[in-house]
Amino acid sequence: MRKNMLIGALGMMAMLLSACSMENTENREEIVVVEEIAPTIVPADTDEKEMAADSPAGDEKEENVKTEENSVLPDAEPEEQSSVSDESPDTYRELYMQVVTETEGDAVIFSLVYLDNDDIPELVVCDRGYGIYSIYTVKNGKAFCMVDAMTTVEMTYFERKGVISQFARWNGGGDEGGYGWYYYQVSTDKALADGDLPTLHFTYDATYDEEGNWTGEGVTKYYHMDQEIDEVAYQQMMNDLGIVEGKENVLTDNALGKAEMLDQLG
């Protein structure tokens, strides 16, 4: 009987050991092994750009940036360089030489004056036999006629003011006759010619009594663009144009003949 009890106890122990083994197996299947990964520590002084450069994506971005900087658009055209003005201080010489060469007449004389306010002188052509004046300047690399064959007893100019003055007389002129001064502004927009309206002018006419004797007086009238104005307004406009009576210059002062002018220009 003891023998049977011992055998039964041994069997029970074997069953318990088998059950524990199965339970441990089930527990092992439910266990998940977690691998600890150490975090990447970036030094404080490391630049973000260096981090990007260390990665393949960073290399690709940097390469793309360099490619865009070095690329040239196929349709891009070079910028136009600023053109140099043809009206340089020496351009006028050859142009004026051509004008002088083509001008005919034994009584023709030439002079160079500074009429407008630049470094290029103007060429004056005067036919003394007929009192005809022409003035040339340089425009767009060509000789431009500013004053085209104006006829007058005398023509003067105001240096670097762009103003010429024309003298006329009638009834013998002087205090017992009549005379006038006519002021024109020159430009490269249009050539002045006989019959053009002056900017300013005044006229003087001597007065006579019923018997035809000069009274010793005369009447002076002032005009702006052919409209009569008073003397005060006239003088103000003269000042605005830089016109000072007595400060004008004769266009033919220091004039030269054709050969001499060609030598000076050449």
Side-chain angles (χ1 to χ4, degrees), residues 68-86:
E68 292 176 0
E69 290 177 350
N70 297 330
S71 63
V72 178
L73 295 177
D75 296 333
E77 297 180 357
E79 295 183 0
E80 295 183 0
Q81 297 181 352
S82 57
S83 59
V84 179
S85 173
D86 292 332

Side-chain angles (χ1 to χ4, degrees), residues 211-222:
E211 298 179 357
N213 297 317
W214 178 48
T215 62
E217 298 178 352
V219 176
T220 303
K221 294 183 179 181
Y222 302 92

Side-chain angles (χ1 to χ4, degrees), residues 177-188:
Y179 60 88
W181 278 100
Y182 302 79
Y183 301 94
Y184 300 84
Q185 289 181 280
V186 298
S187 73
T188 55

Side-chain angles (χ1 to χ4, degrees), residues 32 41 47 56 59 67 100 106 112 117 121 130 135 151 158 168 171 176 185 193 216 223 240 247 252:
V32 177
I41 301 176
D47 194 347
D59 294 338
T67 304
V100 173
D106 296 334
L112 296 174
N117 192 23
Y130 296 96
I135 302 176
T151 304
F158 294 84
N171 297 331
E176 297 185 28
Q185 289 181 280
Y223 299 88
D240 292 342
K247 297 296 184 179
T252 53

Side-chain angles (χ1 to χ4, degrees), residues 135 144-150 186-194 196:
I135 302 176
F144 176 79
C145 186
M146 304 173 78
V147 178
D148 188 9
M150 293 183 73
V186 298
S187 73
T188 55
D189 296 330
K190 176 181 178 295
L192 292 172
D194 285 335
D196 285 345

Side-chain angles (χ1 to χ4, degrees), residues 76-205:
E77 297 180 357
E79 295 183 0
E80 295 183 0
Q81 297 181 352
S82 57
S83 59
V84 179
S85 173
D86 292 332
E87 301 179 14
S88 63
D90 291 329
T91 302
Y92 71 90
R93 295 182 180 275
E94 183 177 350
L95 298 175
Y96 290 172
M97 286 179 68
Q98 183 177 354
V99 174
V100 173
T101 301
E102 295 175 354
T103 302
E104 302 293 338
D106 296 334
V108 177
I109 55 176
F110 308 87
S111 63
L112 296 174
V113 301
Y114 287 95
L115 181 53
D116 53 18
N117 192 23
D118 60 25
D119 294 330
I120 302 174
E122 280 65 52
L123 174 67
V124 178
V125 180
C126 175
D127 188 332
R128 293 174 295 177
Y130 296 96
I132 300 175
Y133 290 80
S134 296
I135 302 176
Y136 294 85
T137 190
V138 177
K139 177 182 178 181
N140 298 329
K142 298 179 181 179
F144 176 79
C145 186
M146 304 173 78
V147 178
D148 188 9
M150 293 183 73
T151 304
T152 180
V153 176
E154 182 182 0
M155 184 175 287
T156 61
Y157 74 102
F158 294 84
E159 188 171 2
R160 298 186 183 276
K161 302 299 183 181
V163 176
I164 61 172
S165 53
Q166 183 185 49
F167 179 71
R169 61 188 175 204
W170 51 91
N171 297 331
D175 292 339
E176 297 185 28
Y179 60 88
W181 278 100
Y182 302 79
Y183 301 94
Y184 300 84
Q185 289 181 280
V186 298
S187 73
T188 55
D189 296 330
K190 176 181 178 295
L192 292 172
D194 285 335
D196 285 345
L197 194 64
T199 303
L200 294 170
H201 77 278
F202 77 89
T203 60
Y204 167 84
D205 287 286

